Structure formats: C-alpha cells, structure tokens
Amino acid sequence: MTRYLWSCLTVLCLTHYVLETTDGQSVPLESKHTCVIGAGYSGLAAARYLQEYGVNFTVYEASRHVGGTWRFDPHVGTDEDGLPLFTSMYKRLRTNTPRQTMEYAGFKFPDDTPSYPSGDCFYNYLKNFVKYFDLMKYIQFRSLVTRVKWADDHWNVTYTNTEDRNSYTDACDFVIVASGQYSKPVRPKFEGEELFKGNIMHSHDYKDAETFRDRKVLIVGAGASGLDLATQLVNVTTKLVHSHHLVYNQPNFPSKYVKKPDIEAFTSDGVVFQDGSFQDVDDVIFCTGYEYNHSFLDESTGLTVSSKFVLPLYQHIVNIRHPNMAFLGVVKQVITRVMDAQAQYAAALAGGIFELPPQETMLKTWLNHVRTLRAKHLRIIDVNVVGDDMDHYFANLTNEGGVVRAPPVLTEIRDFNAKNRLDDLLNYRDYDYEILDDYHYDRKYNPRPENTCPVEQ
C-alpha cells in the first residue's frame, strides 16, 4: 500500500475509533450470554475455556457436525442442507505441520501418534476433545449466522435454522467469531475459460485422487494444497501439468510431471502459458487459496472488513471499537496452537478474568503494529500477519490474559518444518518429533502407514 493510503488509514482510525467505547462490565457476569460462531477447531477451544470460566454461552454451528474444515464431507459445492461446504478436507490428507504444533493445551494426542497424522485422525482427535470436555450440550447445530449487529448495549446475532428455514435473533453480551478461513475459495479468471471443454474446479471441491485416474490434469498453485495434490495426482494421472513459480527442491517426479509458468489463456482442449507453450488437459484444479468471509458482520461492528484483512484488532483478537467482540483465526503465518491461545484469551475476557487496557492504548498499540509493517515495506493485506513474532505473541497473550504459555520450542519446530517440507517434500512426513523441554526437540526417522492412528474413534 502506498504511504498516502497508510496515512489515510491511520487518520481514519484515530478519528473514528477513539471516540466511542463499549461498556462491557455493566451486566453481571451470571446474566451475560456469550455467542460463539462456529464449532471448528477454534470454536471448540473457546467452548472449553468458556465452560472452565463459568460463562453462559452458546455455540452456533451452521452444519450438522463439529470439526469445521477437519471433517471430510463427500458432498461437492453444498451440503445436505443446501449450505456451502465449510470443509476442504479430502481423502488421504495428512497434516503438513507436526501435531505437536496443533494440539490443544493440556490435551495431547496419544504418544504413539505419528507427528503428521491423517485428516481422519485429526478429526477423531477433535471429536474426543468434545467428548472429554462435554461440549456437545453447548452447540446449537444447523444455525447459520447471517448477521451480527450492535444494538446500543448488546449484540443481536441473527441466524437461519436450516431445518425449519426460519430466522431467529438472540441477544448476546459478548461475541466470539470463530467461523474459519477455508470456506471461500479464491478463484482467478482467465481469457477463454468459456471455450474449455474440460472440467475446472478449486481444490476446495477436491475429494479423491482416484477421480482423476488416467486423466490429464493441470494444477494451478504451489501452496500447501497445490504441493500436496501434486504428490497424490502424479501417481494416478497420465499427465500432470503444474503451473506455479515456487522456488523449492522439486522432487524427482516421473516424466509425466510437467512444470509450467502462469496461465495466459484457455483453449477448447487445453491451456496456453505465459511462455507461449501449450498443454492439452482434461481437468484444471485451482489451488489458489481462500479469502476471509465475514459477510454476516454489520457495519455497526465498527470494523473495516475485506476478503484479505480485518482491522483494527487488538492482539489480532479484540475489536477495538467494541471490545466485547473477539476474533479467532484472523491471523496469518502461525501454527494452529495460536488459535487455542486466542480462544483462552477471548474466553478469559468474556469471563472477566482480566481487563483490557483503555481503548486509546489498544489503538496506539495497533497503530504501532501498522507502522512496523510500513517499515518492513509490507502491505495492508499483511495487517493480520504474526509470522516471525509468533513466540513473542504467545508471551503477550500469557502476560495479559493468563493464557497457558506455549513453549518456544513450537516456534522452532514450525520454522524447521516450513523449510524441510520444501527441501524434502516426499519424505518429510516420515519423521516423528519429540519435545524434550520448552526449548528443545528431537526428530527421528520413523516411516509408518499413512492411516496409522491410535486415537480412539
């Protein structure tokens, strides 16, 4: 973003947010009602801590199931209730970060679980978490939140019941938004797509490599999904074309793997690339990421919300204008454990366990973060990035909100895994990690079948 736009943003925040505050302490705790949106990893973590802190709460889940993106659903496009799918899970998925960086605080996987468990195994872990903490009684399923609006002294949360198709509105004193970030795919458009006679899809709708056996497939993108699908599809397709510009230690794929630059245009039977070359393909899978989707937030929230960022958030969690609204997972370049820490912080705030700084102080802290981004020549879309500051971020949440301190070794594991995954794509999951203490870990070669899972179903 240009310096002018950064300056305009700073002025906007100073003039727009300092003048109003929300009195979140005017209602006795026992009569308060907290509303949690979403029963995925983050929403379940919030439920655990809200229960622990004695907060009256309800979790609103649009689907019929817990688990969010970690639950495999065979439907494509919409679920059994006609809702857009909130999961991007596919068969034979394994985590691409060690489970030690994904576990809830104080709730570990069995010791003999592979460090890179399957998606099914991780989903079983989530279901066991719900059972262990007896969380199901707090979850209101088939409740699609369509609007969250500030109503002078409380939030009105409106949702559609997908069984009777009626809309209902509940009053909430505190709202925790845990709606996830992997349900609205980013899908670029190219010249000539309407001429293409094959199939075009996003990885959000990918379910199984077998669908593409003996076909010619183009994958677009080399993020986590793009690389993972490449390792699956190269074994079943007659030709796998991979359009990306990632610099990494590419495995010795078979000759049917063809790397290409960005797409220039589609034809009736294939794709022309920016180097002028052509490849005939049957199917195109866009592995091009996801956008935030907070379309249910009314402008009365006082936030600036886009598909790329939400601002201004104190500690990447708290709505500065209305501090009785918290976000989980609107943060980038972090491990999954961060969402658990955020959930404990938000629940402690809802439960009155600690008090936030004055609004002016929170805004100044956020503006200092913005200035740091500018100094690093980053853009406004990076405003929710934690990245290299992750361990410091964990410490801040602990110092202010009493959050269980995630050990610094998790940051070390994250950083090593990020590099090692690109250095040894086909084999990095064959190693198991063991945390020795808060600062050290061990890593051993221990290849096992991909469906190994000692977690009870």
Side-chain angles (χ1 to χ4, degrees):
M1 178 178 248
T2 66
R3 178 174 297 183
Y4 171 75
L5 291 177
W6 274 119
S7 299
C8 288
L9 174 62
T10 301
V11 172
L12 171 67
C13 290
L14 285 171
T15 57
H16 187 59
Y17 290 93
V18 171
L19 301 179
E20 294 192 28
T21 60
T22 299
D23 181 7
Q25 304 300 319
S26 59
V27 181
L29 179 62
E30 59 272 15
S31 62
K32 286 185 175 182
H33 181 218
T34 291
C35 297
V36 181
I37 303 172
Y41 179 97
S42 299
L44 295 176
R48 168 206 183 171
Y49 292 117
L50 289 167
Q51 176 179 246
E52 179 180 329
Y53 296 141
V55 178
N56 174 37
F57 71 97
T58 302
V59 179
Y60 298 82
E61 168 56 39
S63 74
R64 303 184 185 195
H65 314 274
V66 299
T69 197
W70 288 103
R71 185 186 69 86
F72 176 78
D73 191 319
H75 294 91
V76 175
T78 56
D79 66 11
E80 63 268 45
D81 293 320
L83 297 181
L85 284 178
F86 296 101
T87 174
S88 301
M89 185 61 54
Y90 49 87
K91 292 182 179 179
R92 295 186 58 217
L93 177 143
R94 293 178 66 185
T95 66
N96 59 14
T97 57
R99 61 173 170 80
Q100 289 86 349
T101 67
M102 305 173 73
E103 293 172 333
Y104 292 114
F107 192 79
K108 295 184 177 181
F109 277 87
D111 289 340
D112 55 343
T113 306
S115 282
Y116 297 89
S118 68
D120 287 341
C121 189
F122 196 86
Y123 183 54
N124 289 338
Y125 169 78
L126 294 181
K127 290 191 292 184
N128 286 347
F129 180 84
V130 172
K131 182 178 180 181
Y132 182 84
F133 289 102
D134 193 23
L135 302 179
M136 197 66 80
K137 61 190 176 185
Y138 301 106
I139 305 172
Q140 184 172 299
F141 293 100
R142 305 187 70 176
S143 300
L144 174 68
V145 173
T146 56
R147 193 179 194 192
V148 177
K149 183 177 182 179
W150 182 244
D152 295 330
D153 61 352
H154 67 275
W155 296 105
N156 280 333
V157 174
T158 301
Y159 64 93
T160 298
N161 181 297
T162 61
E163 184 173 11
D164 63 21
R165 300 295 171 177
N166 291 323
S167 292
Y168 303 88
T169 298
D170 291 346
C172 307
D173 300 287
F174 200 103
V175 170
I176 298 177
V177 180
S179 52
Q181 53 181 300
Y182 298 112
S183 62
K184 187 179 180 182
V186 174
R187 168 67 168 82
K189 298 291 185 179
F190 293 93
E191 180 183 347
E193 281 188 35
E194 70 281 0
L195 303 175
F196 184 60
K197 296 178 180 178
N199 304 306
I200 301 177
M201 63 183 292
H202 191 277
S203 59
H204 180 64
D205 295 323
Y206 175 89
K207 301 296 178 180
D208 187 3
E210 283 300 316
T211 304
F212 304 92
R213 181 169 291 280
D214 298 328
R215 295 180 67 80
K216 293 171 287 188
V217 177
L218 165 64
I219 293 176
V220 182
S225 296
L227 292 179
D228 206 34
L229 266 58
T231 64
Q232 289 195 7
L233 292 173
V234 76
N235 298 313
V236 300
T237 54
T238 58
K239 179 171 66 174
L240 181 64
V241 184
H242 197 176
S243 169
H244 71 87
H245 38 74
L246 175 69
V247 178
Y248 79 115
N249 184 30
Q250 180 180 301
N252 186 25
F253 287 130
S255 58
K256 61 182 175 180
Y257 177 91
V258 182
K259 181 184 181 300
K260 286 294 175 181
D262 290 344
I263 294 174
E264 181 68 30
F266 279 76
T267 69
S268 62
D269 58 351
V271 174
V272 178
F273 298 92
Q274 290 185 357
D275 62 359
S277 64
F278 170 82
Q279 291 287 330
D280 62 314
V281 295
D282 302 312
D283 308 288
V284 178
I285 306 174
F286 282 100
C287 300
T288 43
Y290 296 85
E291 297 177 331
Y292 293 141
N293 183 12
H294 297 108
S295 55
F296 53 85
L297 295 178
D298 184 81
E299 63 180 12
S300 62
T301 61
L303 294 166
T304 299
V305 178
S306 82
S307 60
K308 301 295 185 183
F309 57 83
V310 178
L311 60 85
L313 299 179
Y314 176 68
Q315 299 282 32
H316 298 287
I317 300 172
V318 179
N319 177 348
I320 294 177
R321 189 178 190 191
H322 295 294
N324 54 359
M325 170 178 278
F327 289 78
L328 310 181
V330 181
V331 63
K332 301 175 183 178
Q333 298 180 19
V334 296
I335 59 176
T336 307
R337 174 65 181 274
V338 163
M339 272 60 88
D340 181 64
Q342 289 185 325
Q344 186 176 8
Y345 181 97
L349 180 60
I353 305 302
F354 74 99
E355 293 185 2
L356 292 169
Q359 187 185 34
E360 293 83 355
T361 301
M362 290 192 289
L363 181 60
K364 289 178 181 178
T365 299
W366 183 82
L367 289 172
N368 285 336
H369 167 64
V370 170
R371 294 186 186 103
T372 300
L373 293 179
R374 286 183 57 188
K376 295 179 179 179
H377 305 290
L378 297 175
R379 300 171 296 169
I380 186 61
I381 62 173
D382 299 311
V383 74
N384 302 121
V385 169
V386 170
D388 294 340
D389 295 327
M390 188 175 73
D391 188 61
H392 182 64
Y393 180 65
F394 275 127
N396 284 344
L397 299 186
T398 298
N399 293 336
E400 186 170 60
V403 170
V404 174
R405 179 68 160 93
V409 68
L410 295 184
T411 301
E412 298 294 325
I413 292 176
R414 178 201 67 170
D415 294 345
F416 175 81
N417 178 76
K419 181 179 183 300
N420 187 58
R421 183 173 68 90
L422 298 181
D423 287 342
D424 193 16
L425 181 64
L426 298 183
N427 303 298
Y428 77 99
R429 292 187 177 102
D430 290 338
Y431 290 80
D432 281 337
Y433 291 73
E434 180 185 1
I435 293 178
L436 304 177
D437 57 40
D438 284 354
Y439 297 91
H440 302 91
Y441 68 91
D442 192 16
R443 175 175 171 267
K444 296 180 179 179
Y445 184 65
N446 186 23
R448 286 181 277 179
E450 63 184 32
N451 59 352
T452 301
C453 183
V455 180
E456 294 182 5
Q457 297 188 22

